[in-house]
C-alpha cells in the first residue's frame, strides 16, 4: 500500500472514500436518511478546492492500493478553534472498511506527523464512533466535549489532545512495529 501526499487529481478518489467511509462508519449512529443522501459528486468540488488552495498548510495524505485506487486518507492542519494550546489538528482519517485494521491509519497518521512538524496535536471524534478506540490506543488526554449537530440531531464529540507530539510519534512507531 502506497502512502503519498494527495494532489488535486486525487479529489475524486478522496471524495469517494469520504462518502463511503461515512456511510460505513456512521451507520447506526447518524440518521440513515442522511447517510443515504451523501453523494460523491457533491464532495469532489470541495476536495478540489481544498487540495488546490491549502495543499501546503492543510495537506492530505492518501493510501493507494496496488490497483491505483485511493482507499483511505488523512487530513491535517492548524488547530481550528484557537481554544486549545495544540498547534496542529488531525482533521480526519477515513479508510474504507475492508482496508481497516491493517495499520493503514497508523501509516497515514505517521505521514502527516513526519511532514507537519507540530509540537502538539488535537483530534475530534464522535463519542459513539468505535474508531475513537484507535485514538485512545495512542494515549491522548481528553481535552473537551462538545455537542455537534448532524442532520438536525445532536451528537457528543470528544477532543483528544497530545501535548507532546514526540510521544505520539513514539506510540505510532511502536504500534507499527508491533
Amino acid at each position: 500500500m502506497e502512502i503519498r501526499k494527495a494532489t488535486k487529481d486525487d479529489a475524486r478518489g478522496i471524495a469517494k472514500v469520504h462518502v463511503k467511509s461515512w456511510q460505513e462508519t456512521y451507520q447506526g449512529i447518524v440518521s440513515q436518511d442522511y447517510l443515504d443522501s451523501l453523494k460523491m459528486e457533491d464532495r469532489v468540488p470541495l476536495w478540489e478546492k481544498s487540495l488546490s488552495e491549502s495543499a501546503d498548510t492543510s495537506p492530505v495524505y492518501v493510501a493507494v492500493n496496488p490497483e491505483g485506487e485511493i482507499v483511505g486518507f488523512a487530513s491535517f492542519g492548524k488547530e481550528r478553534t484557537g481554544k486549545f494550546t495544540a498547534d496542529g489538528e488531525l482533521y480526519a482519517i477515513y479508510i474504507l472498511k475492508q482496508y481497516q485494521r491493517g495499520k493503514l491509519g497508523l501509516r497515514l497518521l505517521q505521514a502527516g506527523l513526519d511532514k507537519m512538524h507540530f509540537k502538539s496535536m488535537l483530534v475530534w471524534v464522535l463519542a459513539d464512533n468505535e474508531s475513537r478506540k484507535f485514538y485512545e490506543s495512542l494515549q491522548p488526554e481528553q481535552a473537551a466535549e462538545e455537542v455537534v449537530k448532524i442532520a438536525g440531531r445532536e451528537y457528543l464529540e470528544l477532543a483528544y489532545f497530545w501535548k507532546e507530539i514526540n510521544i505520539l510519534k513514539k506510540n505510532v512507531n511502536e504500534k507499527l512495529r508491533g
Side-chain angles (χ1 to χ4, degrees):
M1 196 75 61
E2 176 190 10
I3 306 293
R4 62 171 173 75
K5 190 172 179 184
T7 68
K8 186 178 175 183
D9 293 338
D10 294 320
R12 189 166 199 73
I14 293 169
K16 179 180 177 182
V17 170
H18 195 177
V19 168
K20 187 167 172 120
S21 63
W22 256 75
Q23 291 168 334
E24 293 172 340
T25 301
Y26 297 117
Q27 191 169 36
I29 299 171
V30 176
S31 145
Q32 190 61 46
D33 287 341
Y34 177 73
L35 294 176
D36 291 343
S37 76
L38 297 175
K39 302 288 181 250
M40 179 187 67
E41 294 76 21
D42 296 338
R43 300 280 175 170
V44 172
L46 301 171
W47 281 109
E48 286 175 340
K49 182 178 179 185
S50 176
L51 292 167
S52 296
E53 294 177 358
S54 53
D56 292 329
T57 57
S58 298
V60 177
Y61 293 88
V62 292
V64 182
N65 71 12
E67 291 75 38
E69 299 169 312
I70 294 172
V71 298
F73 71 90
S75 175
F76 300 83
K78 293 182 186 236
E79 194 276 320
R80 294 176 278 195
T81 69
K83 297 178 189 175
F84 303 94
T85 57
D87 58 335
E89 185 173 342
L90 171 60
Y91 298 152
I93 292 182
Y94 289 113
I95 300 168
L96 296 177
K97 192 171 196 158
Q98 72 188 80
Y99 292 93
Q100 293 176 3
R101 311 275 183 251
K103 299 187 179 183
L104 203 48
L106 290 168
R107 291 182 60 208
L108 286 163
L109 182 54
Q110 182 184 50
L113 292 173
D114 286 348
K115 301 291 187 225
M116 292 302 294
H117 308 294
F118 297 135
K119 292 181 179 78
S120 57
M121 193 170 75
L122 187 80
V123 66
W124 287 93
V125 61
L126 289 182
D128 291 339
N129 182 351
E130 284 295 310
S131 297
R132 77 179 190 289
K133 293 175 183 174
F134 168 79
Y135 303 113
E136 291 168 355
S137 77
L138 297 169
Q139 303 173 358
E141 295 177 25
Q142 186 175 324
E145 294 182 356
E146 198 171 276
V147 174
V148 295
K149 278 193 174 187
I150 302 171
R153 290 186 50 206
E154 292 185 344
Y155 299 89
L156 182 63
E157 194 172 42
L158 307 173
Y160 291 132
F161 177 56
W162 292 273
K163 282 184 186 174
E164 296 290 331
I165 208 73
N166 290 332
I167 293 171
L168 174 58
K169 286 180 179 182
K170 179 179 166 261
N171 291 341
V172 167
N173 290 330
E174 285 175 3
K175 287 192 170 293
L176 282 168
R177 284 193 299 269

